């Protein structure tokens, strides 16, 4: 109560902050009046002067202070330029449409500009001119010459805003660029070089990944730094899209899926489940008619487990008595004492569906149907026990043991693949609906964004789910993909020195913006008071009744020539309403993921008299709806929401489409108990009591402010759940992000290095001591040095031709042996390089390091994906999966960096820029060790492949110097194995302790 009184007297925190900005706004307006006397050239000269002044300041903090200092003047310059363009009725073309400039910044837009410059989020209602607001901080921050980015939600808006606002920037002497999906690297580099660049979040993110994870020269990189960015529709990009990381993937080397094989069986299984659930529903109906409500409730709970969207089930949920019986049965089975009964109940079905967690699980009956001849086909074998049995079997030779282990491993992999494929097919059939989660276009499955209703071509669900949906729909099943580079939206935008955002709805997510991005939200007041009237929600028992009521309201308002905008949550719902309106002969436009091209045109017409527009989610549409003539007298644009979205923010965005700039307007949401939100997250028992109390008849509605609160409570539950999911994604990706920064920094240092030889020698200085220590220990007491293992490794990796007598490792300490080998390796490398052209050698050295980083980083990403999927099982052992993930990820990363260095060493003498030069170098080397000193067959290498895969000519058969004056006699007699052949998974004979395939048997 005290807080409420203080807020009334002093104003809220936000109101006080906005009030503190008003003196600055007055200063800007005064300067704007003064600048009216300047010529165009004088006004433009200020831009050039500031750019020169700021370029001389190298310290980032000092530069920002200078920007704060010139802010009033710079904002006044932009406002004055906008005024001049308006007075001259400047004509230009935007997206091939003629336009006239008619905008000058309002005071509230100046406030929004100040908020954005200070690195905050400005919440401004729809129609308040956010596009124009962004010109102020973009102009100011672009003066540093480091670039300023504006991030939008789609290519169309990026192009429109760049061409539109570009008129203002070019008038002031700044250049404007725009990143589009189909641009070449050269075009992109040119756009990023502009003072101000517009583009979508995914284009900026993918360019970052390509620059840092795939480019091999500075010329191939397109971005030039991360100075300042404004994110338009910031909630849509930083929250809604933050659950999906950006991934650049390539085709997997092997494809092992069996979706097409299992699809017919899973299809039959789903049909059998449907028949079973329909039969159970019929039995339940009879039980309810006989007054056996408890038994009827149990039967329908079983249906709910097996088919949560079953139509008879949804119809029964409309009846308060039946709903109560089903809820009672469900609650009773989730008690700890009845776990076994619940398990037995689930086993009566073919499979179970958990709609909330989007998971499916086969029962024993389902497994038997899919594979009746092999009862254990869905059980993963215990490999540890089986391997132990094989090792303890005295009748098997080492080769037979190895073969048996490989067979068991392959059997286990096949079992796992089968289980995974069937699980994903069940999810595809039961949880992913066509025209809701995806659409079919040109024989491809195209995902539909659940928040914006936009199609997302090029995006694919991970973990084989996309292939399962392709199999279900009978379209071409694309090959599995492998991650080449990945980053989350959150971590990409954290790269910027200063980040700001603007949207019509951010306040409900203020806590998340602060926690993750350290961004505070300021709600900027509207230029004119909002005249929109928001009516209470109308709640119905069924979707059918709800849609009928929606159609009736549309007809009533259409008869008065009042424009109506209808928001739906899916393509399917928008098409259903469209069919119903056609039946009623109501003319209308449909704007959904299927008609993406005409969206701006359709939205612009939505405010004309008598227009009815049906649209999937209006988030991020970015086009103003201006009222036609006489529409204000009819009540303005009326917005109807056909369903409450999971997020309150999305509902607020839909409401905000009407009543812009003080126009009249109204909104109402229609809700039914069958809606996904109410079924999954609404308080079922409370809803049942409400239905009983009011005795709802067919077509009767509920309407009360308290009910609005009940719906909002359900939405808050989902928002909290989604926030925790995003936070968890970020916690895991933070581990990956630290590793990514190290690897990408190393990569960029290699690309930028003028002397890559130094980096090569650094690798030698770091990797050789580690290897020497691996073989010889630290020199402490009780350690047994492995001199022969070290000698083998040295001779296999480097062309030193050391014999036991020449190496004399026993006569030196560990440190002395390290320095001896480093000296020999560097000397040999200098000799190899002396035969090649210096510029070509530099390129080759960069290539060797980059190739090692890229190949092993991709393998590391694959391993990290596997770790992340499997680590959740550790929670059963009462361990925190995140802590376990961090521990193991660190160990894997240490191993990755060591492997990169070893890979560089391995390829150092196996790569050449010139074949003839390499032959000349080979002729200076010892041709081979004498037979008795040759490395074992396990470590001896064959002909060295050239850079382009050519096999190198045989070594010359003359006598050569060994670099220290001694000579080695060439023995051309064939070398026969004196040891058995080494299997890929056996310990390496060199003594490193690693498997042969990861050590000396690794292919360069």
């Amino acid at each position: 109560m005290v807080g409420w009184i203080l807020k009334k007297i002093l104003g809220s925190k936000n109101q006080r902050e906005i009030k503190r900005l008003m003196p600055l706004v007055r200063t800007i307006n005064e300067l704007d009046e003064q600048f009216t006397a300047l010529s165009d050239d004088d006004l433009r000269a200020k831009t050039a002067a500031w750019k020169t002044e700021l370029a001389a300041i190298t310290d980032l903090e000092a530069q920002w202070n200078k920007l704060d200092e010139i802010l009033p003047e710079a904002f006044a310059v932009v406002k004055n330029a906008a005024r001049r363009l308006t007075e001259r009725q400047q004509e230009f073309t935007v997206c091939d449409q003629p336009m006239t400039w008619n905008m000058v910044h309002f005071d509230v837009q100046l406030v929004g500009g100040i908020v954005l410059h200070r690195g905050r989020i400005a919440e401004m209602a729809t129609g308040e001119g956010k596009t124009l607001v962004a010109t102020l901080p973009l102009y100011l921050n672009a003066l540093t010459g480091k670039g300023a980015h504006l991030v939008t939600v789609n290519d169309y808006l990026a192009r429109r805003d760049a061409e539109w606002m570009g008129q203002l920037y070019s008038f002031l002497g700044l250049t404007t660029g725009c990143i589009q999906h189909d641009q070449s690297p050269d075009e992109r580099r040119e756009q990023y070089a502009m003072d101000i660049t517009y583009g979508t979040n995914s284009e900026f993110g993918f360019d970052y990944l390509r620059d840092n994870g795939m480019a091999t020269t500075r010329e191939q990189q397109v971005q030039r730094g991360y100075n300042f960015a404004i994110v338009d529709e910031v909630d849509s990009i930083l929250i809604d899209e933050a659950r999906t990381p950006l991934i650049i993937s390539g085709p997997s080397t092997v494809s092992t899926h069996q979706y097409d094989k299992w699809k017919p069986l899973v299809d039959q299984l789903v049909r059998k489940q449907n028949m079973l659930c329909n039969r159970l529903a019929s039995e339940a109906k009879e039980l309810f008619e006989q007054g056996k409500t408890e038994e009827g409730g149990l039967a329908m709970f079983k249906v709910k487990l097996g088919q949560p969207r079953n139509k008879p089930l949804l119809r029964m949920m409309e009846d308060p008595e039946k709903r109560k019986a089903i809820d009672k049965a469900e609650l009773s089975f989730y008690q700890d004492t009845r776990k076994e009964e619940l398990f037995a109940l689930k086993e009566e079905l073919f499979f179970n569906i958990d709609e909330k967690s989007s998971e499916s699980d086969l029962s024993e009956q389902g497994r038997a149907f899919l594979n009746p001849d092999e009862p254990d086909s869905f059980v993963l074998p215990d490999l540890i026990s089986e391997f132990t049995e094989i090792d303890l079997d005295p009748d098997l030779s080492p080769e037979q043991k190895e073969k048996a282990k490989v067979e068991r491993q392959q059997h286990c992999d096949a079992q796992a693949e089968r289980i995974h494929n069937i699980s994903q097919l069940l999810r595809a059939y039961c949880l992913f609906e066509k025209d809701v989660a995806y659409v079919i276009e040109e024989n491809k499955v195209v995902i539909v964004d659940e928040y914006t209703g936009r199609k997302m071509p090029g995006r694919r669900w991970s973990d084989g789910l996309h292939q399962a949906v392709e199999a279900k729909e009978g379209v071409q099943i694309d090959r599995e993909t492998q991650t080449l580079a990945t980053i989350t939206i959150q971590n990409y935008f954290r790269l910027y020195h200063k980040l700001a955002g603007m949207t019509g709805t951010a306040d409900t997510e203020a806590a998340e913006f602060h926690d993750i991005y350290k961004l505070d939200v300021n709600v900027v007041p509207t230029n004119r008071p909002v005249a929109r009237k928001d009516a209470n929600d109308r709640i119905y028992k069924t979707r059918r009744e709800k849609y009928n009521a929606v159609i009736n309201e549309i007809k009533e308002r259409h008869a008065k020539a009042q424009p109506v905008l209808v928001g739906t949550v899916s393509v399917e719902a928008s098409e259903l309403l469209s069919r119903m309106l056609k039946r009623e002969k109501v003319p209308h436009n449909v704007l959904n993921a299927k008609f993406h091209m005409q969206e701006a045109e359709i939205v612009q017409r939505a405010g004309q008299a008598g227009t009815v527009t049906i649209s999937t989610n209006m988030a991020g549409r970015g086009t103003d709806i201006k009222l036609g003539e006489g529409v204000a007298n009819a009540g303005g644009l009326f917005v109807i929401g056909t369903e409450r979205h999971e997020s309150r923010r999305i509902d607020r965005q839909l409401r905000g489409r009407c009543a812009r700039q003080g126009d009249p307007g109204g909104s109402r949401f229609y809700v039914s108990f069958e809606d996904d939100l109410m079924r999954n997250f609404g308080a079922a028992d409370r809803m049942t009591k409400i239905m009983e109390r009011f005795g709802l008849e067919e077509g009767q509605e509920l309407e009360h402010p308290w009910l609005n609160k009940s719906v909002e409570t359900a939405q808050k539950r989902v928002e909290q759940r989604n926030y925790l999911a995003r936070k968890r994604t970020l916690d895991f990706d933070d581990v990956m992000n630290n590793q990514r920064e190290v690897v990408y920094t190393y990569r960029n240092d290699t690309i930028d290095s003028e002397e890559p030889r130094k980096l090569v020698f650094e690798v030698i200085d770091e990797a050789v001591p580690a290897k020497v220590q691996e073989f010889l220990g630290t020199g402490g007491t009780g350690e047994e040095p492995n001199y022969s293992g070290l000698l083998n490794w040295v001779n296999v990796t480097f062309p030193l031709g050391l014999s036991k007598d020449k190496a004399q490792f026993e006569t030196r300490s560990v440190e002395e042996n390290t320095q001896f080998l480093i000296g020999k390796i560097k000397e040999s490398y200098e000799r190899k390089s002396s035969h090649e052209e210096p510029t070509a050698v530099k390129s080759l050295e960069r290539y060797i390091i980059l190739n090692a980083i890229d190949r092993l980083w991709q393998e590391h990403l694959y391993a990290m994906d596997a770790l992340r999927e499997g680590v959740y099982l550790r929670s059963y052992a009462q361990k925190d999966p995140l802590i376990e993930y961090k521990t193991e990820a660190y160990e894997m990363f240490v191993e990755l960096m060591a492997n990169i260095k070893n890979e560089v060493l391995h390829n150092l003498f196996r790569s050449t820029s010139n074949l003839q030069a390499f032959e000349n170098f080979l002729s200076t080397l010892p041709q081979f060790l004498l037979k008795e000193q040759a490395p074992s067959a396990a470590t001896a290498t064959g002909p060295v492949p050239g850079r382009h895969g050519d096999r190198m000519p045989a070594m010359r058969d003359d006598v050569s110097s060994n670099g220290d004056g001694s000579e080695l006699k060439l023995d051309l007699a064939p070398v026969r194995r004196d040891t058995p052949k080494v299997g890929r998974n056996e310990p390496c004979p060199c003594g490193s302790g690693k498997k042969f395939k990861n050590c000396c048997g690794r292919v360069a």
Side-chain angles (χ1 to χ4, degrees):
M1 187 67 181
V2 175
W4 182 83
I5 294 167
L6 286 172
K7 191 181 278 190
K8 281 289 178 189
I9 298 167
L10 303 173
S12 65
K13 179 174 179 283
N14 183 71
Q15 287 168 332
R16 293 196 299 275
E17 285 179 357
I18 299 297
K19 196 174 179 182
R20 278 198 289 271
L21 299 178
M22 294 321 289
L24 201 54
V25 171
R26 285 193 288 274
T27 306
I28 294 166
N29 286 329
E30 287 164 10
L31 287 165
D32 170 36
E33 286 178 28
Q34 291 172 27
F35 291 160
T36 308
L38 298 175
S39 69
D40 288 358
D41 289 339
D42 290 341
L43 198 67
R44 266 191 288 272
K46 287 188 172 290
T47 303
W50 283 326
K51 284 185 89 170
T52 307
E53 194 177 346
L54 285 160
I57 303 170
T58 53
D59 181 60
L60 190 65
E61 201 69 41
Q63 226 176 33
W64 285 354
N65 292 336
K66 182 63 183 174
L67 290 178
D68 290 341
E69 187 186 311
I70 64 171
L71 181 145
E73 219 176 327
F75 277 26
V77 165
V78 179
K79 182 171 181 177
N80 197 266
R83 190 185 305 285
R84 293 178 190 218
L85 292 177
T86 304
E87 288 167 356
R88 293 168 194 177
Q89 294 286 292
Q90 176 97 0
E91 293 183 352
F92 50 96
T93 304
V94 172
C95 294
D96 307 319
Q97 298 293 318
M99 285 189 76
T100 305
W101 189 278
N102 60 355
M103 298 180 294
V104 183
H105 303 78
F106 299 130
D107 285 0
V108 290
Q109 289 175 317
L110 297 176
V111 169
I114 297 165
V115 169
L116 291 173
H117 169 70
R118 292 183 175 179
R120 296 181 167 203
I121 291 173
E123 181 182 300
M124 301 181 74
T126 305
E128 290 296 304
K130 291 187 284 292
T131 308
L132 185 65
V133 169
T135 58
L136 299 160
L138 284 173
Y139 169 80
L140 177 59
N141 285 274
L143 294 172
T144 60
K146 295 176 180 175
H149 297 166
L150 188 127
V151 187
T152 64
V153 288
N154 65 39
D155 275 352
Y156 165 75
L157 291 179
R159 183 185 162 200
R160 184 201 72 178
D161 293 355
E163 291 179 7
W164 192 7
M165 297 302 123
Q167 301 296 315
L168 190 57
Y169 302 132
S170 62
F171 182 84
L172 290 168
L174 292 182
T175 55
T176 313
C178 176
I179 306 295
Q180 294 284 284
H181 179 66
D182 51 0
Q183 285 174 340
S184 67
D186 288 339
E187 288 175 300
R188 286 170 183 269
R189 194 178 306 105
E190 192 182 320
Q191 302 307 313
Y192 280 115
M194 303 288 188
D195 294 311
I196 295 161
T197 307
Y198 285 73
T200 65
N201 58 303
S202 56
E203 291 301 325
F204 282 119
F206 285 134
D207 282 340
Y208 166 77
L209 290 175
R210 281 188 284 264
D211 277 4
N212 292 278
M214 301 173 84
T216 55
T217 62
R218 177 54 69 192
E219 289 69 38
Q220 289 175 1
Q221 296 181 324
V222 297
Q223 292 186 334
R224 62 180 181 120
Y226 311 95
N227 176 44
F228 174 68
I230 296 175
V231 183
D232 193 10
E233 301 296 351
V234 66
D235 55 328
S236 178
I237 290 172
L238 296 193
I239 290 182
D240 298 338
E241 296 200 19
R243 282 186 289 179
T244 311
L246 297 173
I247 297 172
I248 291 180
S249 56
S252 184
T253 47
V254 287
S255 185
T256 57
H257 78 78
Q258 303 163 11
Y259 293 109
D260 36 9
K261 176 186 170 183
W262 292 104
K263 182 218 168 171
L265 279 170
V266 171
D267 192 56
Q268 287 178 43
L269 184 72
V270 171
R271 285 183 194 171
K272 283 183 81 71
Q273 177 99 323
N274 291 348
M275 287 164 62
L276 173 62
C277 288
N278 288 335
R279 195 183 76 236
L280 285 169
S282 300
E283 290 171 7
K285 188 180 177 185
E286 289 174 14
L287 288 166
F288 280 129
E289 285 169 358
Q290 294 166 15
K292 298 177 181 177
T293 52
E294 196 169 318
E295 291 90 335
L298 175 61
M300 287 317 292
F301 171 52
K302 206 186 294 184
V303 173
K304 190 176 179 181
L305 287 172
Q307 205 181 9
R309 294 177 185 172
N310 179 275
K311 286 180 181 174
L313 169 69
L314 296 177
R315 276 199 294 275
M316 286 191 195
M317 293 296 273
E318 298 165 16
D319 186 300
E321 284 297 323
K322 290 172 185 170
R323 186 188 181 102
K324 193 173 183 179
I326 296 165
D327 292 341
K328 187 180 177 183
E330 184 172 2
L331 287 169
S332 69
F333 272 100
Y334 282 114
Q335 295 170 6
D336 283 349
T337 52
R338 301 193 68 183
K339 273 185 179 175
E340 288 185 14
E341 289 178 66
L342 177 62
F343 179 75
L345 191 73
K346 286 180 177 179
E347 285 298 310
E348 292 175 29
L349 298 161
F350 289 100
F351 56 86
N352 307 297
I353 296 290
D354 186 344
E355 210 177 3
K356 280 188 193 178
S357 61
S358 190
E359 290 297 334
S360 64
D361 184 30
L362 271 177
S363 67
E364 200 60 51
Q365 193 181 176
R367 293 186 197 108
F369 173 81
L370 290 172
N371 212 339
D373 302 327
E374 201 180 338
D376 292 334
S377 61
F378 294 94
V379 179
L380 286 178
D382 183 356
L383 284 181
I384 295 172
S385 302
E386 292 188 5
F387 281 8
T388 306
E389 283 175 25
I390 292 167
D391 286 334
L392 296 175
D393 190 339
D395 300 330
L396 296 176
S397 67
E399 289 82 4
Q400 287 173 321
K401 286 180 180 178
E402 181 62 32
K403 188 180 177 185
K405 285 180 183 178
V406 169
E407 284 173 359
R408 296 315 299 158
Q409 180 69 56
Q410 287 172 347
H411 173 68
C412 179
D413 292 346
Q415 295 274 73
E417 187 71 36
R418 181 193 299 133
I419 293 166
H420 178 69
N421 285 183
I422 290 170
S423 173
Q424 295 295 51
L425 276 168
L426 281 174
R427 289 180 69 203
Y429 269 92
C430 302
L431 294 166
F432 289 80
E433 289 184 47
K434 184 180 172 183
D435 288 340
V436 178
Y438 62 91
V439 292
I440 303 295
E441 256 186 19
E442 297 176 5
N443 205 34
K444 286 189 178 295
V445 171
V446 180
I447 300 173
V448 173
D449 186 332
E450 65 174 303
Y451 291 98
T452 63
R454 295 184 186 282
K455 285 178 294 188
M456 299 191 288
R459 293 268 184 106
R460 290 177 67 81
W461 286 302
S462 60
D463 206 22
L465 177 61
H466 205 96
Q467 290 165 296
V469 175
E470 286 170 336
K472 167 193 165 186
E473 293 296 340
V475 301
Q476 180 189 331
I477 302 174
D478 289 340
R479 279 184 67 178
E480 293 167 59
T481 54
Q482 181 181 342
T483 301
L484 303 181
T486 176
I487 191 171
T488 56
I489 293 286
Q490 292 110 317
N491 278 320
Y492 172 71
F493 283 109
R494 284 161 151 191
L495 294 169
Y496 283 90
H497 296 304
K498 186 160 64 172
L499 182 66
M502 51 189 189
T503 178
T505 48
D507 210 27
T508 52
E509 315 288 347
E512 182 167 350
F513 282 124
H514 180 77
D515 291 350
I516 291 177
Y517 302 99
K518 302 292 179 279
L519 287 171
D520 291 321
V521 177
N522 281 132
V523 181
V524 179
T526 53
N527 188 42
R528 295 176 185 162
V530 177
R532 186 182 70 238
K533 293 174 183 172
D534 295 330
N536 289 327
D537 292 1
R538 284 185 175 163
I539 301 179
Y540 295 83
K541 280 203 297 186
T542 68
R543 275 186 179 163
R544 187 183 69 255
E545 295 167 54
K546 175 184 77 173
Y547 284 137
N548 287 335
V550 168
I551 297 297
N552 290 335
E553 173 129 26
I554 292 171
K555 282 168 65 182
E556 277 175 36
R557 297 191 180 272
H558 179 66
K560 296 191 297 181
Q562 183 178 7
V564 180
L565 175 66
V566 186
T568 66
V569 295
S570 69
V571 178
E572 183 190 42
S574 67
E575 291 186 342
L576 171 67
L577 276 170
S578 176
R579 287 195 297 272
M580 292 174 79
L581 285 172
K582 277 177 188 167
R583 207 164 49 229
E584 298 292 332
K585 295 185 171 51
V586 176
H588 59 280
N589 294 314
V590 181
L591 173 62
N592 61 30
K594 290 188 172 180
F595 303 105
H596 186 60
M597 297 298 289
Q598 309 103 305
E599 75 170 38
E601 192 186 331
I602 294 172
V603 170
Q604 280 175 332
R605 292 202 303 265
Q608 300 305 308
T611 304
V612 177
T613 309
I614 300 174
S615 164
T616 40
N617 209 309
M618 292 301 292
R621 294 298 184 196
T623 306
D624 279 348
I625 301 175
K626 295 177 182 174
L627 298 185
E629 214 171 305
V631 169
N633 298 330
L637 177 66
F638 192 79
V639 170
I640 295 176
T642 59
E643 195 170 324
R644 282 284 197 166
H645 200 273
E646 282 186 358
S647 168
R648 290 171 295 163
R649 213 169 15 85
I650 308 294
D651 292 344
R652 285 181 61 207
Q653 282 176 346
L654 183 59
R655 286 194 200 273
R657 302 307 298 183
C658 65
R660 62 179 288 285
Q661 290 289 330
D663 289 340
S667 71
R668 184 192 300 280
F669 276 87
Y670 285 77
V671 181
S672 85
F673 289 131
E674 288 182 357
D675 294 348
D676 290 349
L677 177 77
M678 303 307 289
R679 282 190 304 110
N680 292 329
F681 300 99
D685 52 340
R686 191 186 305 162
M687 290 295 172
T688 307
K689 283 175 185 168
I690 290 168
M691 288 163 72
E692 285 175 340
R693 190 175 300 155
F694 289 98
L696 281 180
E697 301 295 327
E698 174 78 21
Q700 196 177 342
E701 74 211 22
L702 290 174
E703 186 179 334
H704 197 280
W706 289 359
L707 288 175
N708 296 5
K709 287 227 169 62
S710 186
V711 174
E712 283 192 12
T713 303
Q715 287 176 308
K716 282 178 187 173
R717 267 189 216 128
V718 188
E719 285 169 2
Q720 184 62 22
R721 190 192 70 153
N722 289 345
Y723 167 59
L724 291 172
R726 287 189 294 268
K727 187 81 171 69
R728 197 69 170 167
T729 299
L730 187 65
D731 287 341
F732 276 92
D733 195 66
D734 277 345
V735 178
M736 196 73 206
N737 198 49
N738 295 333
Q739 298 184 3
R740 187 189 299 112
E741 282 177 12
V742 173
V743 170
Y744 283 0
T745 302
Y746 185 20
R747 220 178 166 281
N748 283 326
D749 288 347
T750 305
I751 290 171
D752 294 338
S753 174
E754 292 296 323
E755 291 294 332
R757 179 75 51 87
K758 288 181 182 174
L759 293 175
V760 169
F761 282 180
E762 272 178 27
V763 169
I764 294 170
D765 289 338
E766 290 171 15
V768 172
K771 272 290 180 186
V772 172
Q773 198 166 319
E774 189 180 310
F775 287 109
L776 305 186
T778 54
T781 52
E783 288 182 326
E784 192 64 45
N786 182 2
Y787 295 118
S788 61
L790 178 59
L791 184 63
N792 273 347
W793 174 76
V794 169
N795 282 327
V796 165
T797 312
F798 310 106
L800 300 184
L802 287 179
S803 63
K804 189 176 179 184
D805 296 336
K806 280 186 204 147
Q808 295 184 340
F809 290 141
E810 297 88 344
T811 63
R812 303 187 198 88
S813 68
V814 174
E815 180 58 34
E816 287 168 345
N817 275 322
T818 301
Q819 294 311 316
F820 166 73
L821 286 174
I822 288 173
K824 283 277 185 189
I825 294 163
K826 287 183 179 177
E827 178 192 331
S828 187
Y829 185 71
E830 293 285 9
R831 197 172 341 129
K832 171 186 178 288
S833 303
S834 67
H835 290 274
E836 300 183 56
E837 203 270 312
T839 310
V841 171
K842 286 184 180 181
S843 298
L844 181 63
E845 286 166 346
R846 285 195 194 94
Y847 173 78
I848 289 169
I849 298 173
L850 292 175
N851 188 50
I853 293 170
D854 293 348
R855 192 180 73 77
L856 292 166
W857 175 244
Q858 285 166 24
E859 287 181 10
H860 180 71
L861 289 177
Y862 186 76
M864 290 287 280
D865 279 349
L867 172 64
R868 188 163 172 176
E869 283 172 26
V871 81
Y872 286 102
L873 297 172
R874 311 264 177 105
S875 57
Y876 291 115
Q878 305 302 311
K879 292 179 179 177
D880 184 345
L882 182 61
I883 292 170
E884 293 289 301
Y885 180 75
K886 283 180 178 177
T887 307
E888 291 212 18
Y890 175 73
E891 290 168 4
M892 286 166 69
F893 186 68
V894 170
E895 189 178 343
L896 166 73
M897 297 310 285
N899 287 345
I900 287 173
K901 287 164 190 166
N902 290 333
E903 179 94 345
V904 171
L905 290 185
H906 189 263
N907 290 335
L908 213 49
F909 292 93
R910 288 172 169 81
S911 310
T912 182
S913 62
N914 182 294
L915 211 55
Q916 186 59 48
F918 198 58
E919 279 191 64
N920 295 341
F921 164 63
L922 291 177
S923 68
T924 70
L925 297 178
Q927 295 309 297
F928 210 90
L929 296 177
L930 291 175
K931 194 193 302 181
E932 63 271 14
Q933 293 162 348
S936 66
T939 58
T941 55
V944 181
R947 194 174 177 195
H948 301 291
D950 307 319
R951 298 184 76 79
M952 303 302 295
M955 293 186 180
R956 294 163 63 97
D957 60 347
D958 54 358
V959 177
S960 66
S961 165
N962 195 27
D964 55 2
S966 61
E967 289 186 345
L968 275 175
K969 183 181 168 190
L970 182 68
D971 185 353
L972 292 175
V975 179
R976 303 195 183 279
R977 261 194 215 113
D978 53 359
T979 57
K981 185 178 178 182
V982 183
R984 281 171 51 72
N985 290 309
E986 288 183 14
C988 189
C990 75
S992 66
K994 294 182 180 178
K995 286 183 179 179
F996 178 57
K997 67 180 181 183
N998 292 329
C999 191
C1000 297
R1002 186 177 67 236
V1003 178

